[in-house]
Amino acid sequence: MALERIGILLKWALMIAIAFLSIIPIFWMIMGSLRPRSELFQYLSLEWHLFIPVQWTFQNFIDLFSDSSKPFVMFIKNTVIVAVSVTLLSLLFNSMAAFAFSKLKFRGRNIVFAVFLSALVIPGEVTMVPAYLLMNAFDWIDSFKALIIPGAVSVFSIFMLVQFFADVPRELLEAGKIDGASWFGIYAKILIPSTVPALITMGLITFLGQWDAYLWPLIVINDESKQMLQVAIATFTNLQSTEWGKILAADTVASVPILILFLFLQKYYVQSIVSSGIKG
């Protein structure tokens, strides 16, 4: 009994230590955004002032939002439009594809699915040139369509959703069929409500990926008024100088939506991860 209690204490101590180490960079980023530039790298040894500012200031946030040459609110708006659009389209298309692969029977389904999954081993950087040429042929360069449409379908999301949809009893779907429901009705009224945690998890992962997207927006967007958040933050550094105060303030602001989403949806995220681990 005593050994079991010691084991539990050690487990909690290890978990707290890992959580503490994980949160240190985030805490330093937030505190750094509240320092003047002169103080930012003044304290490098392990002492309180390394994490707690001596002189508190909101000037970095004021400079960030008052710079008319780089309208930060506009970059946030662009990113919200793209991330929300991609997430909604991705949930729709990927869930429909996963439903077809997991529940419908058609000739060559396994071969098509295997070929489809082979795309998982191809690095995204390899497909960027043909994807760019395709966007250019559609005349979508410098538009939100080049950011939204290619991200609407994800092989990884379809693969994960197929695993979750496979757990929904086929008898449940057959019962819906007997009651006269169409396949789309079964998909919308039976399958989707049964897999809400998995869909929320996929939505969360997709939104996070789009929120942090850097390379693809950098390639397909030249007009600064349509640029995404992470590319805009990267412009705060150049060959002459690096505006560390603005970068830390911008990163702090950019982290808020993600933290809020995890705060409200973590129950579904954890539930989905646990169930996928049990299936393992």
Side-chain angles (χ1 to χ4, degrees), residues 64-83:
L64 178 68
F65 286 102
S66 62
D67 187 354
S68 58
S69 65
K70 296 183 186 300
F72 196 68
V73 174
M74 184 187 67
F75 298 136
I76 293 176
K77 185 187 73 175
N78 294 343
T79 309
V80 168
I81 292 173
V82 172

Side-chain angles (χ1 to χ4, degrees), residues 139-146 219-224 226:
D139 199 21
W140 287 356
I141 297 298
D142 244 358
S143 75
F144 284 164
K145 286 183 284 190
I219 293 172
V220 297
I221 298 296
N222 301 315
D223 184 353
E224 196 177 42
K226 298 174 183 174

